[in-house]
Amino acid sequence: MGTLDGLDPALWDGLLAPDEAVELVAALRKLAEEGDSDHRIGAVLEDRENDYSWVHTCVQSEGYRPAAIPVIGFLARIAAQPSGVGSETALELVDSIVGAALDRPTMSGDELDAMVDGLRAAVDAARPDLLEAHRLGRSAFQLSTPQQLLDDVDSGRLLGGAEEPIWRGTARALMAAPAGLLAVAGGLLVTWEETGLAFRSPDGGAVRHTFDYPGPPDAWPHPAGHDHWGTRMRVVPFADDQGLGVLTSGPVLWRLDGTRWHRIRLTRPGRWPRWWRSRSNGLAVAGDTAFVGYADGTVAAFDTRTGTPAGTVLCRPGEQLLDAGERHLVVVNRRPDGQPRITIVDRSSGRPAGPAFEGHLPPPVHYRMDGQDRWAVVRLSILRRVDPETGADLDPVQIVGENSGLCSYEVDGRTYLAAAVDRQIVRFDAATGEQSGPLLYGHRRAPTAIVAMPVDGRPTLFSADGTAVRRWDAATGTPWPAAVPPS
């Protein structure tokens, strides 16, 4: 078959306006003959009917219209041309179309399933040409080889948005929510929404309480962004023996009293340094203690029930508080090259519990194994399990794909880690680092958060991708609301 055999505007009847189809055909011809016009192709195929602000914030590929599906075959043929003209651009476009966000608020679930199936069929039909491009040594920016693209589709790393056939029509999202960050507080699932937090029932997603972000909208945390080191307001939901609370920048402690939130402003104890050193640059809560990090390195502790000061910890200046555990604080500072460095600090002494180590988003996750504290952290697709006292690693685990969420959970007394990677969830045995069970598919875009909590006595995972929250039985991988297989 010739490179452009069958290329005709009529291929896109019902998918594009006549003038758009003509422009697309002309752009594909120019790409095949001159190696240009990728911007023209993208301009026609981009899905402008949907809001992709989340995609831009989280640096994800934009969405494309269903009209992109028939284009894949022509792009694969262009990539396989002996001349090599346009091959790099063609492969970049194929990679972008296959890896783009698949959620469409304007499309039904059946239409979304049909689009994913169409993409799979188009990739399968283009397989011979992609393999020929691979044989010819063609590659593209951020795509090592066409073979890698095919392997990623076959393994489910890409196009994992369609539920496995055995779940289709049975498993569905727990709820539709514009949430990209999750937390657990007081037996409730907390989702970061556009204007505030929603405290939801874990068994059905019903909203039990809401917390509206204070202050101007331009200071609110983005509902799908990891703003731990940004300038936006920080928001930490929590629960203690007096119920639900929220710690926000200011710093301010908010407590739920019936249906209303009352405010407790937290005052830093002792003499204040200059104003620019007194601003809070990190928040964390552990048990009934709230921690506020300041720009001069001081971390002040406050009672979550009353807001009264409960001591201070002195860290190195410039470090930012990231999290807190029963015995430790997690702080981060930037190296001169801008890369983050994680330090685990002993709360009682204020001194590092061990050497600093490289970290990245998502934040480190605390867990216990064999009675010992451990921290799990991801850096450049490597999952590290760190002893906080020595800084020593257990054997690092390679994660294939971009990781954007991490949590720990227990099944029958054994600790596991779950990571949100590309469009699927991967589970690991915390002791061995070995993968536990199959990949969990269902998200139509890359999830940005994952948390664990028990539901009806069973460990359960919740993952969010900016448009939907999905729920999984942690032990079996069964998606909600399918029946849980017998143990």
Side-chain angles (χ1 to χ4, degrees), residues 76 79-81 87 91 126-139 143-151:
Q81 289 187 110
S87 63
L91 287 173
R127 187 178 297 266
D129 291 309
L130 291 172
L131 290 174
E132 175 63 12
H134 176 77
R135 188 188 70 81
L136 293 172
R138 311 291 187 230
S139 62
L143 174 67
S144 58
T145 65
Q147 181 68 63
Q148 177 186 326
L149 174 67
L150 292 171
D151 290 345

Side-chain angles (χ1 to χ4, degrees), residues 374-422:
R374 293 286 185 271
W375 292 87
V377 63
V378 174
R379 172 65 175 160
L380 299 178
S381 297
I382 301 295
L383 173 64
R384 301 179 58 193
R385 295 158 294 150
V386 182
D387 184 326
E389 305 296 338
T390 65
D393 278 356
L394 299 177
D395 293 336
V397 179
Q398 178 74 45
I399 297 178
V400 179
E402 188 67 24
N403 175 252
S404 52
L406 187 66
C407 72
S408 66
Y409 62 97
E410 289 189 3
V411 176
D412 297 331
R414 193 171 183 87
T415 303
Y416 295 86
L417 301 169
V421 181
D422 289 323

Side-chain angles (χ1 to χ4, degrees), residues 52-255:
Y52 285 96
S53 59
W54 175 88
V55 173
H56 293 299
T57 300
C58 294
V59 199
Q60 299 288 332
S61 301
E62 282 200 11
Y64 289 90
R65 300 157 71 180
I69 294 174
V71 175
I72 292 175
F74 294 104
L75 292 173
R77 283 189 242 161
I78 292 172
Q81 289 187 110
S83 66
V85 174
S87 63
E88 181 174 338
T89 297
L91 287 173
E92 287 177 357
L93 284 167
V94 171
D95 187 44
S96 183
I97 293 170
V98 172
L102 296 171
D103 264 272
R104 303 290 192 281
T106 56
M107 296 174 69
S108 69
D110 288 342
E111 289 172 324
L112 283 166
D113 285 340
M115 183 173 180
V116 175
D117 290 344
L119 281 166
R120 287 187 183 278
V123 171
D124 283 339
R127 187 178 297 266
D129 291 309
L130 291 172
L131 290 174
E132 175 63 12
H134 176 77
R135 188 188 70 81
L136 293 172
R138 311 291 187 230
S139 62
F141 179 67
Q142 292 185 335
L143 174 67
S144 58
T145 65
Q147 181 68 63
Q148 177 186 326
L149 174 67
L150 292 171
D151 290 345
D152 288 345
V153 170
D154 293 342
S155 68
R157 176 175 175 256
L158 291 175
L159 288 181
E163 292 88 350
E164 295 180 31
I166 60 171
W167 302 122
R168 184 171 287 186
T170 302
R172 62 180 185 272
L174 176 67
M175 59 194 167
L181 289 177
L182 300 173
V184 174
L188 298 175
L189 179 70
V190 187
T191 57
W192 269 247
E193 309 286 340
E194 294 179 348
T195 59
L197 303 178
F199 293 78
R200 299 174 176 272
S201 166
D203 55 6
V207 177
R208 299 287 180 82
H209 309 283
T210 59
F211 173 84
D212 295 333
Y213 298 138
D218 59 359
W220 295 348
H222 191 280
H226 290 276
D227 290 311
H228 297 280
W229 298 313
T231 58
R232 290 175 176 264
M233 178 181 66
R234 293 172 175 83
V235 182
V236 181
F238 66 90
D240 57 20
D241 58 5
Q242 290 191 3
L244 297 176
V246 178
L247 179 63
T248 67
S249 300
V252 177
L253 191 67
W254 304 81
R255 298 305 313 233

